[in-house]
């Protein structure tokens, strides 16, 4: 039985975290655990995470970070914690229900069947769909961002900015997480780029990407600028 750790970074997600954790634990995957990485949320998300861990000992864990350093650093901490615990697979997932909980078994099944280092839940392969709530401007911006990154980095992925995926533990370990430089959402791009450059196989499967259920987006202007500059930084580093 493969063990799977779902790493969920949180900042002010107190309304979303309990229901998404319960939904994940209800999946027919006996080896699934949830690891919450909270960046000192002032709304009580960290306390909610501790309560979930107490209610589900051995299946829910919490990493409390005192300083908010961004999505990328939170994922690195969570991934390193999961790898140290000996998990076989790590799932990256948002807390806001934009990523479909019921697709997690499909990610795992695809990884096991293909031997891929990473399986992405993709919005932009055939069969992938976006939330009806997304307007034309938001849809166009998302597609343009993917085209922009793909054109610069030539990674051959349809959804290179995707945040919903599963990694093999040995693949993550080989990527040298400590060397990841991205702090925000550009973390997704840097991880995909490093994996492709290392010769790892990445598979994309279609998902429906929903609008967030509660709370507000953390996509600030600073995060958008970092995301725009990151592909060039990766090229220059190479």
């Amino acid at each position: 039985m493969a063990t799977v750790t779902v790493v969920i970074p949180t900042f002010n997600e107190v309304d979303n975290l309990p229901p998404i954790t319960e939904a994940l634990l209800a999946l027919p995957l006996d080896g699934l655990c949830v690891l919450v990485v909270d960046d000192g949320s002032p709304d009580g998300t960290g306390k909610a995470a501790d309560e979930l861990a107490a209610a589900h000992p051995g299946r829910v864990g919490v990493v409390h970070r005192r300083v908010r350093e961004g999505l990328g650093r939170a994922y690195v901490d969570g991934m390193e914690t999961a790898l140290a615990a000996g998990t076989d697979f790590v799932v990256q997932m948002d807390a806001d229900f934009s990523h479909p909980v019921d697709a997690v078994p499909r990610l795992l099944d695809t990884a096991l069947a293909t031997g891929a280092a990473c399986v992405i839940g993709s919005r932009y392969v055939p069969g992938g769909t976006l939330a009806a709530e997304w307007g034309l401007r938001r849809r166009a911006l998302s597609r343009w961002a993917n085209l922009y990154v793909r054109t610069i980095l030539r990674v051959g992925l349809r959804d290179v900015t995707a945040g919903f995926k599963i990694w093999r533990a040995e693949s993550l370990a080989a990527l040298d997480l400590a060397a990841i430089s991205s702090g925000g959402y550009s973390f997704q791009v840097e991880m995909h780029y490093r994996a492709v450059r290392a010769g790892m196989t990445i598979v994309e499967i279609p998902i429906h990407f929903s609008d967030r259920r509660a709370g507000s987006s953390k996509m600030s202007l600073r995060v958008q600028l970092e995301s725009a500059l990151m592909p060039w930084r990766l090229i220059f580093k190479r």
Side-chain angles (χ1 to χ4, degrees):
M1 177 184 66
T3 55
V4 179
T5 301
V6 182
V7 176
I8 302 181
T10 57
F11 184 76
N12 288 349
E13 297 287 357
V14 70
D15 293 326
N16 290 315
L17 182 61
I20 199 168
T21 300
E22 297 293 350
L24 285 165
L25 296 179
L27 289 172
L29 296 174
D30 293 337
L32 183 142
C33 298
V34 176
L35 179 62
V36 180
V37 185
D38 186 64
D39 269 10
S41 299
D43 72 342
T45 302
K47 180 181 178 182
D50 287 336
E51 291 171 351
L52 288 164
H56 303 283
R59 297 202 68 192
V60 178
V62 187
V63 174
H64 291 283
R65 289 158 44 85
R66 294 180 179 274
V67 179
R68 187 183 180 193
E69 296 178 302
L71 182 74
R73 306 320 305 166
Y75 263 128
V76 167
D77 280 359
M79 289 172 167
E80 289 179 338
T81 300
L83 293 179
T87 194
D88 297 318
F89 292 91
V90 173
V91 173
Q92 290 181 234
M93 191 170 193
D94 289 348
D96 61 8
F97 283 94
S98 58
H99 301 147
V101 172
D102 60 3
V104 171
R106 286 200 295 124
L107 292 178
L108 176 61
D109 288 345
T110 304
L112 292 171
T114 63
C118 177
V119 179
I120 293 173
S122 177
R123 298 163 289 183
Y124 300 126
V125 294
T129 54
L130 287 169
E133 295 88 348
W134 278 36
L136 289 177
R137 181 178 179 277
R138 191 175 178 188
R139 290 170 182 264
L141 180 61
S142 178
R143 287 188 177 276
W144 180 86
N146 268 280
L147 177 62
Y148 171 80
V149 173
R150 290 203 314 268
T151 301
I152 297 171
L153 297 181
R154 300 180 182 180
V155 291
L157 299 173
R158 297 292 295 274
D159 198 349
V160 69
T161 63
F164 181 45
K165 69 204 80 170
I166 190 169
W167 292 92
R168 287 184 177 273
E170 57 265 33
S171 300
L172 278 182
L175 287 178
D176 186 15
L177 293 172
I180 297 294
S181 60
S182 302
Y185 288 84
S186 59
F187 170 80
Q188 315 292 3
V189 172
E190 182 172 0
M191 289 289 287
H192 295 150
Y193 178 73
R194 284 174 173 267
V196 170
R197 291 281 297 170
M200 296 180 183
T201 299
I202 301 179
V203 174
E204 294 181 84
I205 63 171
I207 63 161
H208 175 70
F209 186 90
S210 300
D211 207 11
R212 75 162 33 245
R213 184 174 292 186
S216 59
S217 172
K218 315 305 186 297
M219 182 66 79
S220 64
L221 177 60
R222 178 180 177 183
V223 169
Q224 292 179 49
L225 289 173
E226 182 196 36
S227 298
L229 292 173
M230 181 52 64
W232 297 109
R233 290 175 178 169
L234 294 172
I235 290 291
F236 293 144
K237 280 184 178 181
R238 185 181 69 186

